[in-house]
Amino acid sequence: MSIIPRMNRLFGEDGKCFDVAIDHGFFNEVSFLSGIENMKQAIETIVAADPDAIQLSPGQATLLQSIPGKKKPSLVLRTDVANIYGKTLPSHLFSHLIHNPVEQAVSLDAACVVVNLLLLPNQPELYHQCVENVCRLKPECERYGMPLMVEPLVMLPNETHGGYMVDGDLGKIVPLVRQAVELGADIIKADPCDHLEEYHKVVEAASGKPVLPRGGGRAPDETILSRTYELMQQGASGIVYGRNVIQHAHPDRMTRAFMTIVHDGATVVQAMAVLKGE
């Protein structure tokens, strides 16, 4: 089946997408719950700000899909649960694919599924499991016409940098992004690199597949808006941000500020004005 109908639900007419990630509770980390203690309220707040999509786990997706009316963000369904996000890694690492992931996505009327491709130093078993997850998902996605978003993430050593810290080495990001495409990704969700002016190389490695950079941890307002503007200038097709929205004092305004950059080409100054409610 063709993925085009669902891709058209996910991306705007301009081919751009802002996906707000609110799937953090899936990973059993208390620090990730900040701003989303009340999921119903958090989702309703973001829905009112009208991004293109909201990324949720199977257990919380019904909070979005039960909202009446046709005009609401598309659902991106998280399909794997991992235990790699703490400051101290457990003795056994996993990235576990949920059962019948694409059927669950279809039953929830999702427009896309997302899965990790994790590359942690000295953790080949975890990396292998992620490759297997992508390989299992791809044929099912093709069967149901479900776009597959792969999240190739390169991490720094946990013992020296704490939990879930991004390695922005372009030399590591580019080949992992290309591998994700080779495995069948329809959309790439990748981290920014250390030198944002080189991000076009990540976009090039994606071989025409849309690239949606990940937001990562909470950053100052002007910093994250400036980063987003530069990433869009480098050829990104949008963004997937979570904590920089849901942990903000005004998640609705921040959503609208990012939307102006992604879809309207707004400058940092213009986006800051939206954020301030001007």
Side-chain angles (χ1 to χ4, degrees):
M1 294 176 64
S2 172
I3 65 170
I4 291 175
R6 288 190 172 95
M7 290 287 279
N8 284 342
R9 284 169 51 193
L10 188 62
F11 289 83
E13 293 180 8
D14 57 1
K16 302 296 192 295
C17 174
F18 177 22
D19 171 20
V20 179
I22 320 182
D23 55 352
H24 301 77
F26 209 30
F27 303 112
N28 192 30
E29 283 295 326
V30 66
S31 64
F32 283 6
L33 299 181
S34 175
I36 56 170
E37 294 87 350
N38 185 325
M39 278 292 287
K40 184 175 185 294
Q41 181 179 0
I43 289 170
E44 288 175 350
T45 297
I46 299 302
V47 168
D50 200 26
D52 299 291
I54 296 180
Q55 186 169 298
L56 293 164
S57 61
Q60 301 280 25
T62 52
L63 291 175
L64 170 64
Q65 300 299 55
S66 63
I67 295 174
K70 296 183 290 184
K71 194 177 186 307
K72 57 177 174 279
S74 296
L75 170 65
V76 174
L77 188 71
R78 165 64 66 183
T79 62
D80 57 338
V81 56
N83 67 337
I84 58 118
Y85 303 100
K87 292 187 179 299
T88 302
L89 290 177
S91 58
H92 172 71
L93 301 183
F94 64 81
S95 183
H96 181 76
L97 199 66
I98 63 174
H99 290 182
N100 302 318
V102 182
E103 288 187 12
Q104 289 196 54
V106 170
S107 70
L108 289 164
D109 195 30
C112 180
V113 295
V114 60
V115 67
N116 280 316
L117 180 58
L118 300 166
L119 187 61
L120 276 65
N122 304 313
Q123 300 295 341
E125 294 87 359
L126 177 69
Y127 169 61
H128 183 199
Q129 187 177 14
C130 289
V131 170
E132 286 187 332
N133 288 345
V134 178
C135 290
R136 285 178 57 193
L137 268 173
K138 182 57 181 177
E140 290 298 300
C141 285
E142 290 192 334
R143 178 183 178 189
Y144 288 98
M146 182 67 64
L148 174 59
M149 182 189 297
V150 178
E151 192 169 349
L153 301 180
V154 184
M155 297 299 167
L156 291 168
N158 193 278
E159 60 273 15
T160 57
H161 292 82
Y164 198 41
M165 297 302 291
V166 174
D167 188 336
D169 185 344
L170 194 68
K172 297 175 184 176
I173 295 173
V174 163
L176 195 64
V177 166
R178 174 57 64 85
Q179 183 178 49
V181 173
E182 302 281 352
L183 289 168
D186 300 301
I187 305 163
I188 293 292
K189 175 187 173 185
D191 277 315
C193 53
D194 289 334
H195 302 286
L196 293 181
E197 70 275 9
E198 296 184 315
Y199 202 74
H200 63 274
K201 296 179 182 178
V202 177
V203 175
E204 182 181 40
S207 304
K209 305 298 182 182
V211 175
L212 308 180
R214 192 176 74 105
R218 186 83 169 87
D221 294 347
E222 192 163 353
T223 299
I224 191 64
L225 291 172
S226 297
R227 184 196 305 168
T228 304
Y229 179 81
E230 179 61 29
L231 289 167
M232 296 302 297
Q233 296 303 302
Q234 291 291 310
S237 295
I239 51 175
V240 183
Y241 287 3
R243 284 169 285 175
N244 280 290
V245 175
I246 59 178
Q247 293 180 354
H248 195 274
H250 302 285
D252 51 348
R253 292 186 200 169
M254 183 54 96
T255 298
R256 295 186 186 101
F258 285 132
M259 285 290 282
T260 62
I261 295 176
V262 169
H263 288 290
D264 302 327
T267 64
V268 177
V269 172
Q270 291 169 327
M272 282 294 292
V274 173
L275 179 58
K276 293 175 182 177
E278 297 175 358

